[in-house]
Amino acid sequence: AAPERAPMGDGAPAPDAAAEARERHHRVVDALATLPERDRVALLLREAGFAHREIAEALGTTTGAVGTVLARALRRAAALLH
């Protein structure tokens, strides 16, 4: 009989990696909180997998404008994170 093997997986992250992940999470949450509401909503809906049409409906804008809103929001978020 073959010997039993431990499950293959990454297991728990190293403590320093977990601390870095928590810090990164807090920085992103803080950056999102400082964005204008329209930008924040657009980014959160995009991250949740909503289509441009659905984001446009939520924002009360056109589908064509969603790309511009997202690009601006991503630029602002990136500036806050660097």
Side-chain angles (χ1 to χ4, degrees), residues 15-27:
D16 56 336
E20 287 176 23
R22 279 192 305 277
E23 174 62 27
R24 191 169 42 251
H25 173 80
H26 289 298
R27 287 181 52 221

